Amino acid sequence: MALLLCIDTSTTHASVALARDEELLSIKVNQQQKDHASFLQPAIKEIMHETKFNLTDIKAIAVTSGPGSYTGLRVGFSSAKGLCYALQIPLIAISTTEVMSAAALHQINRLTEKPGSFFLCPMIDARRMEVFTAVYSSELKETTANTALVLESDSFSGLLQAAPVYFFGNGADKWKSICMHQNARFIDVLWDAKDMIRLASAQFNSSSFTSLAYSTPDYGKDFHTAAK
């Protein structure tokens, strides 16, 4: 039985989930972005205490790899890597946009009227008219990799001509204000670490692990500071 710890601190909210064989055992969520660092370790401790497991029972740790908040990604990645190193267990990295899309797909599949072929387009706010985004198929296959995109009125025009596209995430409102295409669908999606469980289990079962020594978060774009 594979006991997996899932960590997400990549955006405005943070969460930690413990799962065994794709079954959620416990989850903790923090809505205050500035508190991600102080939330994470106590949340892990609480989960282990509540479920009566030890850290040494964990077989792998999954973490959202971005894009997202620079600070949030560093908090999650450093904690996950430190625990993996100490426990000598593998690290699983999952794109934030894939986790968001998994949550969206679950929500869409619960609709009374099932849509046919469609695309999923998560959007993470990157300030001004820019978003971090990617495109996934209705089978959750990546069709466009993560990218930082400045939104314009003709963005996604080819994609929207091909099939309905579901847009979601905290950057989608900016796109909604300028997108008038009839194939655009805007939905509110609530997602957290529990939406990592199936993805993490699949990677664990296929031994798709990331390097503890060399892996880094996907920040979405290069970090720049003012010259001194």
Side-chain angles (χ1 to χ4, degrees):
M1 295 185 292
L3 191 69
L4 304 179
L5 184 68
C6 298
I7 297 173
D8 171 47
T9 57
S10 59
T11 57
T12 56
H13 58 281
S15 54
V16 183
L18 186 69
R20 181 175 56 186
D21 295 340
E22 297 191 12
E23 177 188 358
L24 175 65
L25 301 178
S26 182
I27 186 169
K28 301 292 180 185
V29 180
N30 170 57
Q31 299 292 346
Q32 304 301 317
Q33 186 170 3
K34 293 182 179 180
D35 296 339
H36 286 359
S38 60
F39 156 80
L40 186 53
Q41 294 301 331
I44 294 172
K45 184 177 180 179
E46 287 178 26
I47 282 177
M48 304 312 295
H49 176 75
E50 290 174 1
T51 58
K52 303 188 185 311
F53 283 104
N54 296 315
L55 286 173
T56 51
D57 296 322
I58 298 172
K59 300 303 181 184
I61 296 177
V63 63
T64 43
S65 58
S69 158
Y70 292 109
T71 301
L73 288 170
R74 286 194 293 269
V75 167
F77 237 75
S78 60
S79 294
K81 291 178 95 171
L83 285 169
C84 285
Y85 182 81
L87 298 169
Q88 297 186 336
I89 57 176
L91 175 67
I92 297 168
I94 306 175
S95 172
T96 305
T97 58
E98 185 177 9
V99 178
M100 295 170 67
S101 296
L105 185 59
H106 179 71
Q107 181 173 317
I108 293 167
N109 286 338
R110 294 172 62 187
L111 296 175
T112 303
E113 295 184 9
K114 297 294 188 295
S117 179
F118 59 89
F119 293 103
L120 301 162
C121 188
M123 291 182 166
I124 301 171
D125 188 8
R127 300 184 180 179
R128 298 186 178 88
M129 286 303 290
E130 189 172 21
V131 294
F132 299 127
T133 188
V135 177
Y136 294 85
S137 71
S138 51
E139 290 78 36
L140 205 59
K141 302 298 183 183
E142 182 187 88
T143 63
T144 303
N146 288 325
T147 186
L149 177 68
V150 177
L151 295 169
E152 299 177 350
S153 59
D154 60 348
S155 297
F156 305 104
S157 57
L159 192 69
L160 286 162
Q161 291 291 342
V165 184
Y166 287 87
F167 298 98
F168 49 92
N170 65 358
D173 282 346
K174 295 189 290 191
W175 174 230
K176 187 176 182 179
S177 68
I178 60 173
C179 177
M180 304 300 174
H181 201 283
Q182 62 181 3
N183 273 343
R185 310 282 190 269
F186 292 89
I187 56 174
D188 293 324
V189 176
L190 299 176
W191 58 277
D192 53 39
K194 70 176 180 295
D195 299 298
M196 301 172 63
I197 293 172
R198 283 192 177 183
L199 302 172
S201 295
Q203 291 197 33
F204 179 81
N205 292 334
S206 63
S207 298
S208 298
F209 306 129
T210 193
S211 170
L212 274 181
Y214 301 109
S215 60
T216 58
D218 173 13
Y219 293 114
K221 55 184 178 180
D222 293 334
F223 179 70
H224 298 284
T225 57
K228 294 183 178 180

